[in-house]
Amino acid sequence: MDTFALVVTIAVALFFTYTNGFHDSANAIATSVSTRALTPRAALAMAAVMNLAGAFLGSGVAKTVSEGLIATPTGDQGMMILFAGLVGAIAWNMVTWYYGLPSSSSHALFGGLVGAALAGASTVHWDGVLEKIVIPMVLSPIVGLVLGYFVMVIILWIFRDANPHKAKRGFRIAQTVSAAGMALGHGLQDAQKTMGVVVMALVIGGVEDEGDAIPVWVKISCAAMLSLGTYAGGWRIMRTLGRRIIELDPPQGFAAETTAAGVMYTASFMFQAPISTTHVITSAIMGVGATKRVSAVRWGVAKNIILGWFITMPAAGGVAAGSYWIVNLAFG
């Protein structure tokens, strides 16, 4: 029964990674597709490959997820907590995907883990949640917004005398690079989050010891599922990011993607903080759009997206807590 529970939990974790891929694929490619720098299928294929590569660039984020948010629970109850946390995250991913709302898969996962841990009377590292989740959740969109604005201002100043048509053609080509950088950062961030959960399951199941290196098969499995999910696409969310916030042109798309990629690499390598790719690219798009004129950004759509950010963790946590009570009632 213990082995069966471990296999099921890992399978659910990998399914979460798949939903993360098709939910967040829009983050990496919506701007490139909306500006016609890339065709949708070419963009998705490129994002899938770069997600796969990004998963092997580090393990700091995975360590934060597996050790820094909740105390690793033990035994059957521990596996139930992990399972319920994943169910909460998947449920919220599916709801927000259905409504085309670019919420954060990352924060759905964190909310699910914390909600299930509280329901199961397990220890939550509130200092870790505050330092690694809440503060980056607030700061990263602000940084993305401000940097996006200034990167776009610099681009406008540098190319102020350039031929507009030639400049746009050049930025369409440049967007293939910036979109690839964005997808690489997505793999670096999001594949590692699931690696952390799978490692936690292996520790609970007695297969690995806490602090051990991440097994290669875990890296490959998580990276592959994220890539498969990415290639499946997330057309509803892509439409929201690419068109409904602001009508983007190639220079704006390049500025937004470059800004978001830079923020993700900094958070991963310098702070080992699992930030949301959704938050960063959305805020960068808003900052870039505001350089045209503040009214160019459809702030009503932006407001709904931001509201989704703040309700993601408690909503996923609530579903996870309910899932834990049901599973505990059935198998406890």
Side-chain angles (χ1 to χ4, degrees):
M1 184 65 185
D2 291 344
T3 303
F4 176 74
L6 175 62
V7 170
V8 168
T9 301
I10 291 174
V12 173
L14 293 176
F15 179 67
F16 165 77
T17 310
Y18 180 83
T19 68
N20 187 347
F22 76 69
H23 190 279
D24 286 4
S25 60
N27 297 334
I29 63 175
T31 50
S32 298
V33 172
S34 68
T35 60
R36 297 179 176 82
L38 293 168
T39 64
R41 282 297 166 195
L44 282 167
M46 177 274 294
V49 171
M50 298 307 286
N51 272 336
L52 189 66
F56 292 90
L57 291 182
S59 59
V61 171
K63 184 177 177 66
T64 296
V65 172
S66 63
E67 300 175 17
L69 305 182
I70 65 173
T72 304
T74 57
D76 292 340
Q77 184 194 25
M79 205 64 78
M80 284 191 286
I81 288 172
L82 210 55
F83 175 83
L86 289 164
V87 168
I90 291 169
W92 187 248
N93 268 0
M94 299 307 291
V95 168
T96 51
W97 168 82
Y98 181 80
Y99 288 103
L101 184 65
S103 69
S104 168
S105 293
S106 305
H107 290 101
L109 176 61
F110 306 147
L113 290 175
V114 170
L118 290 174
S122 186
T123 302
V124 176
H125 298 313
W126 291 110
D127 55 340
V129 172
L130 177 65
E131 180 184 342
K132 296 293 186 180
I133 306 301
V134 176
I135 292 176
M137 182 180 75
V138 174
L139 286 183
S140 60
I142 295 172
V143 172
L145 181 76
V146 174
L147 277 184
Y149 179 87
F150 282 110
V151 168
M152 192 64 214
V153 166
I154 291 169
I155 288 173
L156 289 170
W157 185 81
I158 292 173
F159 292 92
R160 64 190 183 282
D161 297 324
N163 181 290
H165 296 295
K166 286 184 178 179
K168 284 187 178 181
R169 269 201 308 273
F171 275 107
R172 276 200 178 93
I173 297 170
Q175 266 199 277
T176 60
V177 178
S178 60
M182 179 77 194
L184 192 71
H186 182 232
L188 173 65
Q189 277 279 335
D190 285 40
Q192 282 194 51
K193 291 161 190 169
T194 310
M195 289 179 205
V197 174
V198 173
V199 166
M200 196 182 295
L202 294 172
V203 171
I204 294 170
V207 179
E208 294 280 329
D209 292 325
E210 197 162 3
D212 284 355
I214 300 172
V216 174
W217 71 265
V218 173
K219 292 185 178 183
I220 293 172
S221 301
C222 292
M225 290 303 290
L226 185 67
S227 292
L228 286 172
T230 296
Y231 192 70
W235 307 108
R236 293 171 185 267
I237 294 168
M238 195 185 303
R239 188 166 57 247
T240 300
L241 274 181
R243 290 289 181 188
R244 289 180 60 201
I245 296 175
I246 184 174
E247 296 286 337
L248 291 168
D249 61 22
Q252 291 172 328
F254 173 81
E257 289 167 345
T258 302
T259 298
V263 173
M264 283 193 291
Y265 295 142
T266 302
S268 298
F269 292 122
M270 290 187 64
F271 302 107
Q272 300 182 345
I275 64 170
S276 166
T277 51
T278 307
H279 291 189
V280 175
I281 187 61
T282 306
S283 59
I285 289 172
M286 292 178 195
V288 164
T291 59
K292 184 183 292 184
R293 62 184 187 281
V294 174
S295 61
V297 179
R298 298 186 180 105
W299 295 106
V301 175
K303 181 186 73 174
N304 291 337
I305 292 171
I306 293 169
L307 180 63
W309 295 353
F310 285 103
I311 66 173
T312 289
M313 284 187 68
V319 174
S323 300
Y324 173 80
W325 290 322
I326 292 171
V327 173
N328 190 45
L329 192 64
F331 301 103

